[in-house]
Amino acid sequence: MDLLNSILNSMDAPPATNEQQKTLIKKQREMMERMQNKQKEELLRFRKYVEERMGRFAKDDRTCIEFQPLDKVHRSVIHEIAENGGFIAMSFGREDEDRHTVVYKKEHPPSEDEITARRNGDGWSKDIAKEYSERRQERLAQEQSQSTTATESDCSASCSSTDPAHAAEVKPTSNYKAKYAHLIGESAALQAARKTETNQSYGFVPSKNKKDMRSIEQTLADIQAKKRLKLQQQQQEQEQEQEQEHEEQ
């Protein structure tokens, strides 16, 4: 115990916090609280702005509305309000540069061309829609022509392979009998083949004994007869045991 006290006494005491440091820490805490409260108020105002804008959007004839580039927190507010209001919200653009959110009505969802154009950063208008539609038609026509060419080439290859003239040209590269003459002999025939016979026994029981020629009814009758015989034997043994017990008494 004396050793522990000596060690504790030899250790340096924690530095005392003076009034100036306490005041500085208090100011920093108050500043942090003010910033947090300011952010909360700003998000509340932004939420109210988005709700009002989507309320007007639900009543007019527009098919979509576009918001300015915002950070992830503000975009999440837009997505939440859009989902609660029954709209479709999608974000496009690069993060921290021009990432923005577009809200659509469910009865007017964006087409594939519009999604592709907005992801490419081209925006969306009538001219851009026409341009992407022409691109898509050209791409489909090119794919169709390529598939047609591939089908024709496959057909020509299959037709040439079934041509009698082409089939006549195919010849074996070697003589099978000459190659394997040392195995099958010069005159390979059925007589040269070794006659195979089934093994008459499988394990310890001959295979002939395993062939049960009885019908299902006969088999069941035999099983029941065996059971009755076994029961009779058990009853006889019990009667004999009882008689022995009576004689002993």
Side-chain angles (χ1 to χ4, degrees):
M1 193 65 180
D2 295 337
L3 179 61
L4 180 59
N5 290 331
S6 62
I7 294 174
L8 292 174
N9 294 328
S10 63
M11 294 175 63
D12 295 335
T17 304
N18 53 23
E19 294 297 330
Q20 186 176 1
Q21 290 178 343
K22 290 181 179 179
T23 305
L24 181 60
I25 294 172
K26 185 178 180 181
K27 288 182 178 180
Q28 291 177 351
R29 187 181 296 111
E30 292 176 353
M31 185 180 297
M32 184 68 66
E33 292 178 355
R34 285 196 299 269
M35 290 178 61
Q36 291 177 354
N37 293 331
K38 186 177 180 180
Q39 290 177 354
K40 290 180 181 179
E41 293 176 358
E42 195 272 333
L43 282 177
L44 288 174
R45 287 195 299 268
F46 180 75
R47 177 180 291 273
K48 185 177 180 180
Y49 158 73
V50 174
E51 290 176 349
E52 292 177 353
R53 186 173 179 184
M54 287 192 186
R56 295 191 299 269
F57 171 59
K59 297 176 182 178
D60 57 29
D61 298 334
R62 291 176 296 176
T63 59
C64 67
I65 54 174
E66 184 175 344
F67 289 84
Q68 68 273 19
L70 296 166
D71 56 18
K72 190 174 183 179
V73 176
H74 290 78
R75 293 199 310 271
S76 64
V77 174
I78 297 174
H79 281 264
E80 179 184 352
I81 297 173
E83 183 178 358
N84 294 334
F87 301 107
I88 301 173
M90 300 182 68
S91 295
F92 304 96
R94 291 169 291 184
E95 193 67 41
D96 298 331
E97 291 187 14
D98 58 350
R99 189 76 172 172
H100 62 282
T101 304
V102 183
V103 180
Y104 301 88
K105 292 180 179 177
K106 283 193 174 181
E107 58 270 21
H108 299 288
S111 62
E112 294 183 3
D113 292 341
E114 181 177 355
I115 294 174
T116 304
R118 289 188 181 277
R119 286 178 177 174
N120 293 336
D122 296 335
W124 190 247
S125 62
K126 292 183 179 180
D127 296 336
I128 296 175
K130 183 179 179 181
E131 179 182 353
Y132 271 79
S133 178
E134 293 175 353
R135 290 183 187 178
R136 178 164 45 81
Q137 292 176 0
E138 291 176 359
R139 185 174 64 254
L140 292 175
Q142 185 177 2
E143 291 176 356
Q144 186 176 2
S145 62
Q146 290 177 355
S147 63
T148 304
T149 304
T151 304
E152 292 176 354
S153 61
D154 293 340
C155 181
S156 61
S158 61
C159 293
S160 61
S161 62
T162 56
D163 188 6
H166 179 74
E169 296 176 359
V170 178
K171 295 180 180 180
T173 56
S174 61
N175 189 349
Y176 181 82
K177 285 187 176 182
K179 184 176 181 180
Y180 295 100
H182 63 288
L183 296 176
I184 62 176
E186 294 293 337
S187 58
L190 292 176
Q191 293 80 4
R194 183 173 64 87
K195 185 179 180 181
T196 59
E197 297 180 354
T198 58
N199 190 4
Q200 296 296 325
S201 63
Y202 181 79
F204 298 99
V205 182
S207 59
K208 291 180 179 180
N209 296 344
K210 292 184 178 181
K211 296 179 180 179
D212 196 348
M213 305 300 294
R214 297 178 299 173
S215 63
I216 297 175
E217 292 81 4
Q218 185 64 34
T219 304
L220 293 175
D222 294 343
I223 292 173
Q224 292 177 357
K226 289 181 179 180
K227 288 183 178 180
R228 287 194 297 269
L229 180 61
K230 188 174 181 181
L231 289 173
Q232 291 176 1
Q233 291 176 355
Q234 291 178 354
Q235 290 177 357
Q236 290 177 1
E237 292 177 356
Q238 290 178 358
E239 291 176 356
Q240 292 177 0
E241 290 178 355
Q242 290 177 359
E243 291 178 357
Q244 291 178 0
E245 291 178 357
H246 287 302
E247 291 177 356
E248 291 177 355
Q249 292 176 359

